[in-house]
Amino acid sequence: MSENIVPPIAAKKDTVLEKHGDKRVDPYYWLNDRENPEVIQYLKDENEYYQKMTAHTQAFQKDLFEEMKSRIKEDDESVPYLYNGYYYITRFETGKEYPIYARKKGSLTAKEEIMFDCNEMAKGQSYFNLGGLNVSEDNKLVSFSTDKVGRRIYTLQVKNLETGELLSDKIENVSGAAVWANDNKTLFYTTKEKVTLRSDKIHKHVLGSDAKKDELVFHEKDETFSVYIAKTKTKKFLVINSSSTLTSEFQILDANKPTDRFNVFHPRTRGLEYNISHYNDHFYIVTNKDKATNFKVMKTPDTATTSENWVDLIPHNAAVLIEGIEIFKNYLVVEERSNGLNKIRIMPWSGSGEYYLPFEIETYSAFVGTNVDFDTDILRYGYQSLATPYSVIDFNMKTKTKEVKKEMAVLGGKFDKNNYKEERVWATATDGTKVPISLVYRKEVKKDGNNPLLQYAYGSYGNSMDPNFDSTILSLLDRGFIYAIAHIRGGEDMGRQWYEDGKLLKKKNTFTDFIDCSKFLIEQKYTNPKKLYAQGGSAGGLLMGAVVNMAPELYNGVIAAVPFVDVVTTMLDETIPLTTGEYDEWGNPNDKEYYDYMKSYSPYDNLKAQNYPNMLVTTGLHDSQVQYWEPAKWVAKLRTLKTDKNLLFLDTNMDAGHGGASGRFEALKELAKEFSFLLDLEGIEK
């Protein structure tokens, strides 16, 4: 790399931000205007600097891209599922970036009907996403939505599946999904608040009518709540769900009576979370009612839904988190998590003979898949591990036999899962808590402290990071890397309390857990600080920002993707998407206690003159989740404070949002950039 290439230096234009008598001076606040040509130029300058500094890796990036792409079956298709008389299939064709959605009537040997070819729909677009497909009950119409920017703002349309024609109905600014009433002509959909992008209104549209006159069915006025609409598996009820981080409220309507009014299932009560499923004139409720921290299952008649009518079906268990249920005509299936591992429990409605699906290792992930058929003995679930490709399995709950419908193909002829070792180990956190870490590496790797290791984590919103198979990681493993997932607090990996202990005024546990996992991996001779790398995205990018402030000496390199790093400023700005709905996750900084706590860990506010690791920071100009200016400001400020000569790159995708590039293989190009960054630091050139 040339030492003569000078990084861009953003202009300082001090803005004083004052709250609770505390003044913060932000020299880069001006970067939050994406319409400002000076802002766009700065982002382009950073991109140009990144490109010049990594020019020597361009060929390697292309090789990595081709290598990762070569493992993926291009002409692939999903396992078909049967719904309302049709088999539905999503497939890909060789050389094409986007999926094709198709169906076959009655039999898999029937003639294929192509519903949508996204490759045709995406032509001329730098970004394209098709969402919210929903077929009417008479199978004649399908509602769908498109996003051509990446900000998750969709346009809703309807297609006649018999003629292939698009109806004149067209609705802008929707959240993506729509739901049909049982009359095949009434659609319910969600719109977004134009500034914050919060899903806040449910509307009703009758086909052929003027969308501008659509009836407003429900307006969620509480800025901490978002709404969506769905239909029960039994097709009997339409369901509106209003939810915040800590509180739920549902409204129900007979799906055969779309002109009637929705009725509240149970009024919102702060701290009461519940989710509902319908079966045989009853609702089944997964809830934390009665201080059921890990949730329990209750039931109530569908004619008497308020909580005084709820009765326990599966009681609370402090050692077992209930994550969800799936209802069939003859079985209740419960998704559980205990000791950090997924469990699937089969409970016949007859009341006898319940059992668990058997899983033998400790680095697996199993979950209930697409089960739209109500009257069947077949449970479809997914299974994978860090070294075992994802499989779709049909399990006969009556005969207890299973059929592997599909195992993800890893092409190229080089992959053999027997060449890799999987482990689950436990680090001890600063406060004595045991934190699990999932590991995978080639069997010939020795624990001599000299291995490059990539440590990944997320640690927010109660999202558990299960040990899933990822064929792209093989590009690191086969070059000597160890891959580790740290199951830190803030996720729900070890139950609901694991989440509670990693948010709000306990958020720093997330950061110290990650650091303690790093120290453990070093102590146990998996790696050393000159070969340890860290990675996280979005809220995991916040994690990266915090740990490089707190323990920069532990890491040689860090990848922070779309990082949420300016916590205080963002959480004080109620016009930014997600802010108001996240007070229960991070706290409301309008309260001084939360303001002070946030400020004590916010990565942007805690940058200081010290050495930092080599860093690659990525973002998207149209990101609606973490605004591009957070990483841009963070990098600009880092450039003025860091006391080392380590690499610092900001790579902005000028055409994408939070999820990055939209094409199936375009995303691999972004991953190739990240991997080449790590491998280059290791001196690995091929």
Side-chain angles (χ1 to χ4, degrees), residues 457-494:
Y458 185 71
S460 290
Y461 302 106
N463 289 344
S464 300
M465 292 295 107
D466 290 320
N468 296 332
F469 181 82
D470 182 354
S471 68
T472 64
I473 294 293
L474 298 175
S475 291
L476 295 179
L477 300 183
D478 291 346
R479 290 175 172 86
F481 267 75
I482 296 172
Y483 182 65
I485 301 172
H487 304 283
I488 55 181
R489 282 175 284 187
E492 230 168 38
D493 307 61
M494 296 293 288

Side-chain angles (χ1 to χ4, degrees), residues 213-262:
K213 297 180 181 179
D214 283 354
E215 178 185 340
L216 175 62
V217 174
F218 176 66
H219 181 194
E220 179 52 76
K221 296 180 180 179
D222 189 326
E223 293 182 343
T224 66
F225 281 71
S226 296
V227 297
Y228 71 84
I229 187 161
K231 187 187 285 187
T232 59
K233 193 172 177 179
T234 56
K235 304 181 184 180
K236 184 174 180 180
F237 291 98
L238 296 166
V239 179
I240 294 174
N241 178 11
S242 292
S243 60
S244 69
T245 306
L246 295 175
T247 307
S248 314
E249 181 182 74
F250 286 80
Q251 300 175 56
I252 57 174
L253 173 67
D254 187 328
N256 293 308
K257 301 176 180 179
T259 59
D260 286 2
R261 295 177 62 86
F262 280 81

